[in-house]
Short mmCIF file of all heavy atoms in Angstrom, two decimals:
data_model
loop_
_atom_site.label_atom_id
_atom_site.label_comp_id
_atom_site.label_asym_id
_atom_site.label_seq_id
_atom_site.Cartn_x
_atom_site.Cartn_y
_atom_site.Cartn_z
N PHE A 157 218.55 196.05 157.82
CA PHE A 157 219.04 197.41 158.11
C PHE A 157 218.08 198.46 157.55
O PHE A 157 217.86 199.50 158.17
CB PHE A 157 220.44 197.61 157.54
CG PHE A 157 221.52 196.97 158.36
CD1 PHE A 157 222.38 196.04 157.80
CD2 PHE A 157 221.68 197.29 159.69
CE1 PHE A 157 223.37 195.44 158.54
CE2 PHE A 157 222.68 196.70 160.46
CZ PHE A 157 223.52 195.77 159.88
N ALA A 158 217.52 198.20 156.38
CA ALA A 158 216.55 199.13 155.80
C ALA A 158 215.31 199.24 156.68
O ALA A 158 214.78 200.35 156.89
CB ALA A 158 216.17 198.69 154.39
N LEU A 159 214.83 198.11 157.20
CA LEU A 159 213.67 198.14 158.08
C LEU A 159 213.97 198.89 159.38
O LEU A 159 213.11 199.61 159.90
CB LEU A 159 213.20 196.73 158.39
CG LEU A 159 212.39 196.05 157.30
CD1 LEU A 159 212.19 194.58 157.62
CD2 LEU A 159 211.06 196.74 157.12
N ILE A 160 215.17 198.73 159.89
CA ILE A 160 215.56 199.47 161.09
C ILE A 160 215.57 200.97 160.80
O ILE A 160 215.06 201.77 161.60
CB ILE A 160 216.92 198.98 161.61
CG1 ILE A 160 216.78 197.56 162.17
CG2 ILE A 160 217.48 199.93 162.68
CD1 ILE A 160 218.09 196.89 162.49
N ALA A 161 216.12 201.36 159.67
CA ALA A 161 216.16 202.78 159.30
C ALA A 161 214.75 203.34 159.12
O ALA A 161 214.43 204.43 159.62
CB ALA A 161 216.97 202.97 158.02
N VAL A 162 213.89 202.60 158.45
CA VAL A 162 212.51 203.03 158.26
C VAL A 162 211.80 203.14 159.61
O VAL A 162 211.05 204.09 159.86
CB VAL A 162 211.76 202.07 157.31
CG1 VAL A 162 210.26 202.31 157.34
CG2 VAL A 162 212.29 202.20 155.90
N GLY A 163 212.05 202.18 160.49
CA GLY A 163 211.44 202.21 161.82
C GLY A 163 211.85 203.44 162.61
O GLY A 163 211.01 204.07 163.27
N VAL A 164 213.12 203.79 162.55
CA VAL A 164 213.60 204.97 163.27
C VAL A 164 212.96 206.24 162.71
O VAL A 164 212.51 207.11 163.46
CB VAL A 164 215.14 205.05 163.21
CG1 VAL A 164 215.64 206.39 163.70
CG2 VAL A 164 215.76 203.92 164.01
N VAL A 165 212.88 206.32 161.39
CA VAL A 165 212.27 207.50 160.76
C VAL A 165 210.79 207.61 161.14
O VAL A 165 210.31 208.70 161.48
CB VAL A 165 212.45 207.46 159.23
CG1 VAL A 165 211.61 208.51 158.53
CG2 VAL A 165 213.92 207.63 158.86
N LEU A 166 210.08 206.49 161.10
CA LEU A 166 208.66 206.51 161.48
C LEU A 166 208.48 206.91 162.95
O LEU A 166 207.55 207.65 163.28
CB LEU A 166 208.02 205.15 161.22
CG LEU A 166 207.73 204.80 159.77
CD1 LEU A 166 207.24 203.37 159.66
CD2 LEU A 166 206.73 205.77 159.18
N LEU A 167 209.34 206.41 163.82
CA LEU A 167 209.25 206.81 165.23
C LEU A 167 209.49 208.30 165.40
O LEU A 167 208.79 208.96 166.18
CB LEU A 167 210.25 206.02 166.06
CG LEU A 167 209.82 204.62 166.47
CD1 LEU A 167 210.98 203.89 167.16
CD2 LEU A 167 208.63 204.68 167.39
N ILE A 168 210.46 208.84 164.70
CA ILE A 168 210.73 210.28 164.79
C ILE A 168 209.53 211.08 164.31
O ILE A 168 209.11 212.03 164.97
CB ILE A 168 212.01 210.64 164.00
CG1 ILE A 168 213.23 210.06 164.71
CG2 ILE A 168 212.14 212.15 163.83
CD1 ILE A 168 214.52 210.14 163.90
N TYR A 169 208.96 210.68 163.15
CA TYR A 169 207.76 211.38 162.65
C TYR A 169 206.60 211.25 163.63
O TYR A 169 205.85 212.19 163.84
CB TYR A 169 207.34 210.85 161.29
CG TYR A 169 208.11 211.44 160.13
CD1 TYR A 169 208.74 210.63 159.21
CD2 TYR A 169 208.19 212.82 159.96
CE1 TYR A 169 209.45 211.16 158.16
CE2 TYR A 169 208.90 213.36 158.90
CZ TYR A 169 209.52 212.53 158.00
OH TYR A 169 210.21 213.06 156.96
N GLY A 170 206.44 210.08 164.21
CA GLY A 170 205.35 209.88 165.16
C GLY A 170 205.50 210.72 166.41
O GLY A 170 204.52 211.29 166.91
N ILE A 171 206.72 210.82 166.91
CA ILE A 171 206.95 211.64 168.10
C ILE A 171 206.72 213.11 167.78
O ILE A 171 206.11 213.84 168.55
CB ILE A 171 208.36 211.38 168.65
CG1 ILE A 171 208.43 209.96 169.23
CG2 ILE A 171 208.74 212.41 169.70
CD1 ILE A 171 209.83 209.49 169.55
N LYS A 172 207.20 213.55 166.61
CA LYS A 172 206.98 214.95 166.22
C LYS A 172 205.50 215.22 165.99
O LYS A 172 205.01 216.30 166.32
CB LYS A 172 207.79 215.29 164.98
CG LYS A 172 209.25 215.45 165.26
CD LYS A 172 209.99 215.99 164.07
CE LYS A 172 211.44 216.19 164.44
NZ LYS A 172 212.09 217.16 163.58
N ALA A 173 204.79 214.25 165.39
CA ALA A 173 203.36 214.44 165.15
C ALA A 173 202.58 214.49 166.46
O ALA A 173 201.59 215.20 166.57
CB ALA A 173 202.83 213.32 164.26
N SER A 174 203.03 213.74 167.46
CA SER A 174 202.32 213.76 168.74
C SER A 174 202.57 215.05 169.51
O SER A 174 201.79 215.41 170.39
CB SER A 174 202.71 212.56 169.60
OG SER A 174 204.05 212.66 170.02
N ASP A 175 203.64 215.77 169.18
CA ASP A 175 203.93 217.05 169.82
C ASP A 175 203.35 218.24 169.05
O ASP A 175 203.54 219.38 169.46
CB ASP A 175 205.45 217.25 169.94
CG ASP A 175 206.04 216.36 171.00
OD1 ASP A 175 205.30 215.89 171.88
OD2 ASP A 175 207.26 216.12 170.96
N SER A 176 202.63 217.97 167.96
CA SER A 176 202.09 219.06 167.15
C SER A 176 200.88 219.69 167.83
O SER A 176 200.28 219.13 168.74
CB SER A 176 201.69 218.54 165.77
OG SER A 176 200.56 217.71 165.87
N ILE A 177 200.52 220.87 167.36
CA ILE A 177 199.38 221.59 167.92
C ILE A 177 198.09 220.80 167.73
O ILE A 177 197.28 220.68 168.65
CB ILE A 177 199.25 222.98 167.26
CG1 ILE A 177 200.48 223.83 167.54
CG2 ILE A 177 197.98 223.69 167.70
CD1 ILE A 177 200.64 224.23 168.98
N GLY A 178 197.91 220.23 166.54
CA GLY A 178 196.69 219.46 166.27
C GLY A 178 196.56 218.26 167.18
O GLY A 178 195.47 217.93 167.65
N SER A 179 197.66 217.60 167.43
CA SER A 179 197.64 216.44 168.30
C SER A 179 197.37 216.85 169.75
O SER A 179 196.66 216.15 170.47
CB SER A 179 198.96 215.69 168.22
OG SER A 179 198.92 214.52 168.99
N GLU A 180 197.92 217.98 170.16
CA GLU A 180 197.68 218.44 171.52
C GLU A 180 196.22 218.84 171.72
O GLU A 180 195.64 218.58 172.77
CB GLU A 180 198.61 219.59 171.86
CG GLU A 180 200.04 219.14 172.04
CD GLU A 180 200.98 220.25 172.44
OE1 GLU A 180 200.50 221.33 172.84
OE2 GLU A 180 202.20 220.04 172.37
N ILE A 181 195.61 219.43 170.70
CA ILE A 181 194.19 219.79 170.79
C ILE A 181 193.35 218.52 170.84
O ILE A 181 192.41 218.40 171.64
CB ILE A 181 193.78 220.69 169.62
CG1 ILE A 181 194.45 222.07 169.78
CG2 ILE A 181 192.26 220.84 169.54
CD1 ILE A 181 194.28 222.98 168.60
N SER A 182 193.69 217.56 169.98
CA SER A 182 192.97 216.28 169.98
C SER A 182 193.12 215.58 171.33
O SER A 182 192.16 215.01 171.85
CB SER A 182 193.51 215.37 168.87
OG SER A 182 192.95 214.10 168.94
N GLU A 183 194.31 215.63 171.89
CA GLU A 183 194.57 215.00 173.18
C GLU A 183 193.79 215.70 174.31
O GLU A 183 193.35 215.06 175.25
CB GLU A 183 196.06 215.00 173.48
CG GLU A 183 196.46 214.08 174.59
CD GLU A 183 197.96 213.93 174.69
OE1 GLU A 183 198.68 214.33 173.77
OE2 GLU A 183 198.40 213.39 175.72
N LEU A 184 193.60 216.99 174.17
CA LEU A 184 192.85 217.75 175.17
C LEU A 184 191.41 217.26 175.24
O LEU A 184 190.86 217.09 176.32
CB LEU A 184 192.89 219.24 174.84
CG LEU A 184 192.09 220.17 175.74
CD1 LEU A 184 192.73 220.23 177.12
CD2 LEU A 184 192.02 221.56 175.12
N PHE A 185 190.80 217.01 174.07
CA PHE A 185 189.39 216.62 174.04
C PHE A 185 189.18 215.11 174.15
O PHE A 185 188.20 214.66 174.75
CB PHE A 185 188.73 217.13 172.77
CG PHE A 185 188.58 218.63 172.76
CD1 PHE A 185 189.34 219.41 171.92
CD2 PHE A 185 187.68 219.25 173.62
CE1 PHE A 185 189.21 220.78 171.92
CE2 PHE A 185 187.55 220.62 173.62
CZ PHE A 185 188.31 221.39 172.77
N THR A 186 190.05 214.31 173.54
CA THR A 186 189.82 212.87 173.50
C THR A 186 190.69 212.10 174.48
O THR A 186 190.42 210.94 174.76
CB THR A 186 190.09 212.31 172.09
OG1 THR A 186 191.46 212.50 171.76
CG2 THR A 186 189.19 212.98 171.07
N GLY A 187 191.75 212.69 174.94
CA GLY A 187 192.66 212.01 175.86
C GLY A 187 193.74 211.20 175.16
O GLY A 187 194.55 210.56 175.81
N SER A 188 193.73 211.20 173.83
CA SER A 188 194.77 210.47 173.09
C SER A 188 195.24 211.32 171.92
O SER A 188 194.50 212.17 171.42
CB SER A 188 194.23 209.14 172.59
OG SER A 188 193.18 209.34 171.69
N PRO A 189 196.48 211.10 171.46
CA PRO A 189 196.98 211.86 170.32
C PRO A 189 196.24 211.48 169.03
O PRO A 189 195.43 210.55 169.01
CB PRO A 189 198.46 211.47 170.26
CG PRO A 189 198.57 210.21 171.01
CD PRO A 189 197.46 210.18 171.99
N THR A 190 196.53 212.18 167.96
CA THR A 190 195.86 211.92 166.69
C THR A 190 196.18 210.51 166.19
O THR A 190 197.20 209.92 166.56
CB THR A 190 196.29 212.93 165.61
OG1 THR A 190 197.70 212.83 165.44
CG2 THR A 190 195.92 214.34 166.00
N ASP A 191 195.31 210.00 165.34
CA ASP A 191 195.52 208.67 164.78
C ASP A 191 196.81 208.60 163.97
O ASP A 191 197.49 207.58 163.98
CB ASP A 191 194.34 208.29 163.87
CG ASP A 191 193.08 208.03 164.65
OD1 ASP A 191 193.17 207.80 165.87
OD2 ASP A 191 191.99 208.04 164.03
N GLU A 192 197.12 209.68 163.28
CA GLU A 192 198.35 209.72 162.47
C GLU A 192 199.58 209.48 163.34
O GLU A 192 200.45 208.68 162.99
CB GLU A 192 198.44 211.06 161.76
CG GLU A 192 199.67 211.20 160.89
CD GLU A 192 199.74 212.57 160.25
OE1 GLU A 192 200.02 213.54 160.99
OE2 GLU A 192 199.51 212.66 159.04
N ALA A 193 199.65 210.15 164.46
CA ALA A 193 200.80 210.00 165.36
C ALA A 193 200.88 208.58 165.89
O ALA A 193 201.97 207.99 165.96
CB ALA A 193 200.70 211.00 166.51
N VAL A 194 199.74 208.02 166.25
CA VAL A 194 199.72 206.66 166.79
C VAL A 194 200.18 205.66 165.72
O VAL A 194 200.98 204.76 166.01
CB VAL A 194 198.31 206.31 167.30
CG1 VAL A 194 198.22 204.84 167.66
CG2 VAL A 194 197.95 207.17 168.49
N TRP A 195 199.70 205.81 164.49
CA TRP A 195 200.09 204.88 163.41
C TRP A 195 201.57 204.99 163.08
O TRP A 195 202.22 203.99 162.78
CB TRP A 195 199.23 205.08 162.17
CG TRP A 195 197.87 204.49 162.33
CD1 TRP A 195 196.69 205.16 162.40
CD2 TRP A 195 197.55 203.10 162.48
NE1 TRP A 195 195.66 204.27 162.58
CE2 TRP A 195 196.15 203.01 162.63
CE3 TRP A 195 198.30 201.94 162.50
CZ2 TRP A 195 195.51 201.79 162.79
CZ3 TRP A 195 197.64 200.72 162.67
CH2 TRP A 195 196.27 200.66 162.80
N PHE A 196 202.10 206.21 163.09
CA PHE A 196 203.54 206.37 162.83
C PHE A 196 204.36 205.66 163.90
O PHE A 196 205.33 204.96 163.59
CB PHE A 196 203.94 207.85 162.78
CG PHE A 196 203.72 208.51 161.45
CD1 PHE A 196 203.14 209.77 161.39
CD2 PHE A 196 204.09 207.89 160.27
CE1 PHE A 196 202.94 210.40 160.16
CE2 PHE A 196 203.89 208.51 159.06
CZ PHE A 196 203.31 209.76 159.00
N VAL A 197 203.99 205.84 165.15
CA VAL A 197 204.74 205.21 166.25
C VAL A 197 204.61 203.69 166.17
O VAL A 197 205.61 202.97 166.29
CB VAL A 197 204.29 205.76 167.61
CG1 VAL A 197 204.90 204.96 168.74
CG2 VAL A 197 204.67 207.23 167.75
#
Side-chain angles (χ1 to χ4, degrees):
F157 283 123
L159 282 170
I160 291 170
V162 167
V164 168
V165 169
L166 285 174
L167 278 174
I168 291 170
Y169 278 127
I171 291 168
K172 285 189 178 203
S174 68
D175 287 340
S176 70
I177 298 293
S179 184
E180 288 183 14
I181 291 172
S182 173
E183 195 170 347
L184 177 69
F185 290 109
T186 63
S188 63
T190 60
D191 289 342
E192 181 182 72
V194 171
W195 284 113
F196 277 136
V197 171

